[in-house]
Amino acid sequence: MAAAGGHRPGPLKQQNKAHKGGKHSGSSQRRAGGPVGFGSNGIGALLDRRVRVAVWGNLALIRGQERSRVCVAVHAVPSCPQVLAEKRSLGSRDGPPHLVAVVLLHSRAAAHDSLRLLQSQDSAVVRADEGTAGGFALLCPRLKQRWCFVTAPAGDLHAVLDLAKVADSLLFILDPVDGWDSAGEHCLSCLFAQGLPSYALAVPGGTDLPPKKRIDARKKLSKSIEKRFPEAKLFPLNTEQESSLLLRHLSSQKQRHLAFRDRRAHLLACAAEFVPSQDSDLLGTLKVSGFVRGQTLNVNSLVHIVGHGDFQLSQVDAPPDPLSLNPRVVKGQKRSQDMEVQDDSANGADEMEEDVKVLMKADPSKQESLQSEVVPDPMEGEQTWPTEEELQEAEDSLKADRRVVKVPKGTSKYQAAWIVDDGEEGSEKDDDDDDEDDNMDDDLMEEAVSQEGESSEEEAGEEESETMTVSECLRDDQYDEKMEEDEQMLERYKQERMDEMFPDEVDTPRDVPARVRFQRYRGLKSFRTSPWDPKENLPRDYARIFQFQDFSRTRKNLFRQIEKEEAEGALVGWYVTLHVCNVPISVMESFKEGKPLVLFSLLPHEQKMSVLNFLVRRHPGNSEPVRAKEELIFHCGFRRFRASPLFSQHTSADKHKLERFLRPDAALVVTVYAPITFPPASVLLFKQRSNGMHDLIATGSLLSVDPDRIVIKRLVLSGHPFKIFTKTAVVRYMFFNREDVMWFKPVELRTKWGRRGHIKEPLGTHGHMKCHFDGQLKSQDTVLLNLYKRVFPKWTYDPHVPEPVPWVRSESALPEREVEME
């Protein structure tokens, strides 16, 4: 029988969401009976919205016009959002010309024909650039764009990297068949590590190939560039129409930013003039002309000429813009409407000097100093003559603190007073002992290698004197020189392999007591938690460097000041002439040889020396062993210098273990003395071969500027269990005299299989010792004793880097890489 109230749903009945119609404003007005528009279908509301959009658009257009009119009146970039301002300013009338660096990636790449096609634009004016060989400026009044094309010298790695530091875009010229060769592969690796700006890929030529081979070569080239340039487009460059498309792509593509140049004013020299000083012809004032890029250039700040050092400015002039889209008409000079090549030197020098205006001169009270090192005062720690109270306190402390020294039986007090503790011996040695510590471990192996080499040379000499002629002997001598290099490389490979198999293990010397040989080392209860004062036993070089109380806070405040405050000086896009003081004549000679002259303005404190730490990773294309304190070449941001670095582990602890070699499987921290640079900044590490070529061995970035970063060198002394009891064992071969056992008795022991213990007492006089462990040892186990010492880098900073020998080119890089992988 059904219930009186009908069927009732159970608790599992589905509950759908209710319809929310009628809650919006239109339906409420309809429900209330009010007007919605001019008609019932809402056409009035649509028209009202269109009117509002039109009015808002007109207001925005008016605001933009007023803003651009005001900014043009003060000769500055429009203060729009950053992306729009960059789009409008780059290559326009008010901004710097679009600087394009042409890089050849293959020996068969045709640069001359490509540049000729780029110059053949309709209604374009081409002007030869005196600053760089083969460079030219392209002015297009119809498009309101202007470009500067600079060709990087083939095979000159420094020139390519310097141009990439300041170029707005890179134009890579590829071979239609092979793409790039080995030199191009090396160049691309360096450019990607330094930071790649906007780029385009052009492929001239290939028209002489049959149609089928041309299509196959195009497909093969497209596959080969997928890994290097993902989502990149290949632009053929054989006709004027294709060159127009390439120019349109260069002007409209999104600009990539390099952080180290966006916060600093930089300039590529278009012209330079050297005025010798009155005192010497080797030093003088260098007048450098070019367009300001990046940030506003202040005359009181320092400038860095890449590859030559830091200098001061005395004056900034404003000559007429040689690449103006609307040039001033000079009487007696005709201008053609079509393409023509003009020479700026045809204009009179007197007229140019009349038009030059002095923008600003340096203020000695506000000018940055060139001081890079602190001059330590040797009398700074000098004490005054002590008072009577201090003398009395010293006598009381001497009576309280009496030394306890072990002396032979029958020694008098007078004789005991002259006995010196072993820890005090050698305390006045120089810091060169660190190098001895590094090299003494390998003396025996080096002597054995040298003896074998001498015996082999003697045998070779006897054979040569009997059978070989003079010419063949000379050839063999040259060949033997290469063999000596191979032997040295083999020795390095052996050392690296031994360090991997037995990390930090050294043999205890038998001719020198261990307490004397390792007197600078100490034991630690825990490498991670034991304290180590960063201000303890600092070298004298630390008195010459600068240090921040809080480097990260200083960096943030400085960058915030650059973004918010408007600096006084030459604005971005102005064509200026900088008067650089006390410049050596070698800078001008380098510029005359066709090498690019690049200037960067320095931020405050960037000329001062400190301790820089770089986080790097080994480049996969290099496998030669690189030992710590070996001279390397650094490309750090806009700087280039030589130094001998330290390698250490990258951890979050307060102490970092020294690495003797540059590891290929982990990221390491490189520590050197160098001028302060505010990160972010990329870093490239090169090693110079004996033939002058530079090999890329590591890439990374600047980690910090921190002299208090503690790098700890570890030494491991090993011993072997001689007799094993329950938890006690007799260990030998770790020391060879009784005094060494007593000296290192407080240091904790460990084994390779995880046991921990300590030295109980020495046995006999030949270094045997009784040790107690937390468990029973195995006969195949090894007893270890860890010693630690803080190390510091060498002061070998040299801003002058020799020019590298051009890279040896091969036909194609891709087959060689495949063979190496096999």
Side-chain angles (χ1 to χ4, degrees), residues 451-469 472-474 476-477 479-481 483-484 487:
Q451 290 176 1
E452 292 177 3
E454 290 175 358
S455 60
S456 61
E457 289 177 359
E458 291 175 0
E459 295 175 1
E462 294 175 358
E463 295 176 358
E464 290 170 0
S465 61
E466 293 178 356
T467 59
M468 294 185 181
T469 60
E472 291 178 350
C473 289
L474 292 176
D476 290 340
D477 291 340
Y479 189 79
D480 289 340
E481 292 179 359
M483 293 303 296
E484 290 177 1
E487 290 178 359

Side-chain angles (χ1 to χ4, degrees), residues 2 27 31 94 106 111 180 250 275 303 377 450 615 750 768:
S27 61
R31 197 179 299 109
D94 303 317
H106 201 282
W180 56 82
L250 288 173
V275 180
V303 294
D377 185 7
S450 62
L615 180 61
R750 67 179 182 90
H768 290 204

